[in-house]
Amino acid sequence: MTDAALPEAWQRAELPELPTGAASVEEFARTIYGRTPTGGHLTDVVLRSREECELAHRFRHRATISCPLGDLELDTLLHLPVSTTPAPVIVALNFTGNDQTIDGDQAQRWPYAAIAAAGYAVLTVDYRQIEPDDPAPTTPGVRALFPAEAGSWGAVGAWAWGMSRCLDIAAGIDGLTTAGAIALGHSRLGKAALWAGAQDERFSLTVSNDSGCCGASLFRHPGGEDIAAITSRFPHWFVPSLSAYAGLEKSLPIDQHQLLTCIAPRRVYVASAEDDAWADPIGEYLAVVAATPAFEGGGIGSHVRAGGHDLLEEDWRHALTFAQR
């Protein structure tokens, strides 16, 4: 992306001025993600297995989280670097299940050696264990474990809630520290990471990768996925009322650069890909530019790499470099 293209992009975005201070988390809850209910606390963490590896030991735990209407059980996978104690934790939900995240020929294969060499641990869980990615799931998730009067919240909100519970789990595991914790996510889980970072101040850095519409990209920048498309295909991700803004993006009381500012003064990193038109890399870049005044000392960063919609080792390395500054 060249700077020469930006003036035209700004004109198309018709972006409102950045408000003084952080935008209201409450407004994002009301308009997009739903209000995260109170309640739900970690009651037990059981070590199920340990495997010693050269750079990072591998642990599997089963955690029990008590919710108002029942318990949620999560199977977590932890890679803990041998050379760093205690190690700051990266919480990153996965799409493929813990086994496939280690060995599967999937886009979610993560560069654990590079992460360990940078001194970070990674704690992950299959995002579907928190909340199924289905508008009418046959097996209910965490949203069914809260009473209806707790309010409406979407699946993205549930996954964000789960990232905070993963941080609770990390707090009780020897060799880990939640100081300097990072929330990281790709695509729909990049949206969840941003929402988790906006709500949970224990995350010192939030990293979104190709998070697109309702993530890091601007609603007011035309191009890529829009509200009509995302609410038609994924109605369960957000509050039902978001669909009323289909085709009316300029009427929204907020835009996503303001979500980034909700995380300030903690840090944010936005990763994009040139060929990922559906996630609108220009809209993501413009959100970073618009949010920059809310961050001091280089507290927000970004990159736009070649290629398409994927979480690659290159993305991890850029994010780790930023985290270590």
Side-chain angles (χ1 to χ4, degrees), residues 241-256:
S241 57
L242 178 61
S243 62
Y245 288 98
L248 300 170
E249 278 80 359
K250 293 179 183 178
S251 299
L252 280 165
I254 50 174
D255 213 324
Q256 295 307 96

Side-chain angles (χ1 to χ4, degrees), residues 10-301:
W10 273 113
Q11 186 177 7
R12 293 200 305 269
E14 297 181 6
L15 192 65
E17 289 186 10
L18 188 69
T20 301
S24 171
V25 170
E26 174 62 22
E27 190 62 45
F28 280 95
R30 184 186 71 84
T31 307
I32 299 177
Y33 307 107
R35 293 177 176 87
T36 303
T38 57
H41 61 277
L42 182 67
T43 58
D44 194 27
V45 179
V46 176
L47 177 63
R48 301 182 66 195
S49 68
R50 169 180 172 145
E51 180 182 354
E52 294 193 359
C53 304
E54 183 178 356
L55 296 176
H57 298 326
R58 187 177 297 154
F59 299 82
R60 294 177 186 260
H61 294 85
R62 172 160 291 176
T64 302
I65 301 168
S66 177
C67 301
L69 302 181
D71 291 342
L72 179 72
E73 291 194 340
L74 299 179
D75 294 307
T76 64
L77 171 68
L78 169 67
H79 280 79
L80 183 64
V82 174
S83 61
T84 306
T85 303
V89 64
I90 301 172
V91 174
L93 306 183
N94 70 74
F95 288 100
T96 59
N98 293 343
D99 290 338
Q100 288 293 314
T101 301
I102 299 171
D103 299 316
D105 186 19
Q106 301 286 338
Q108 284 296 119
R109 182 183 292 176
W110 297 341
Y112 287 116
I115 298 167
Y120 286 89
V122 182
L123 180 68
T124 188
V125 63
D126 185 337
Y127 81 122
R128 296 163 296 187
Q129 278 200 314
I130 301 165
E131 179 69 26
D133 196 355
D134 191 322
T138 55
T139 302
V142 69
R143 290 188 295 168
L145 299 179
F146 286 83
E149 56 267 25
S152 173
W153 52 322
V156 168
W159 300 326
W161 175 93
M163 295 186 79
S164 289
R165 302 293 73 76
C166 286
L167 203 53
D168 295 341
I169 294 167
I173 297 177
D174 290 341
L176 285 181
T177 177
T178 57
I182 298 173
L184 183 148
H186 168 65
S187 193
R188 67 200 64 181
L189 300 182
K191 307 180 205 300
L194 288 171
W195 188 226
Q199 296 178 95
D200 193 334
E201 294 185 357
R202 294 177 298 171
F203 288 115
S204 67
L205 170 62
T206 300
V207 179
S208 77
N209 189 82
D210 300 344
S211 59
C213 181
C214 298
S217 69
L218 296 173
F219 290 111
R220 287 170 171 81
H221 179 255
E225 193 171 23
D226 57 16
I227 292 176
I230 203 168
T231 58
S232 296
R233 188 176 180 188
F234 305 109
H236 57 295
W237 284 4
F238 312 107
V239 293
S241 57
L242 178 61
S243 62
Y245 288 98
L248 300 170
E249 278 80 359
K250 293 179 183 178
S251 299
L252 280 165
I254 50 174
D255 213 324
Q256 295 307 96
H257 66 303
Q258 295 166 313
L259 179 63
L260 301 182
T261 69
C262 283
I263 301 172
R266 291 167 294 120
R267 300 197 295 162
V268 174
Y269 191 81
V270 175
S272 308
E274 289 179 353
D275 298 331
D276 190 7
W278 200 233
D280 189 10
I282 292 177
E284 292 188 324
Y285 178 78
L286 293 177
V288 171
V289 173
T292 296
F295 294 85
E296 297 181 357
I300 187 168

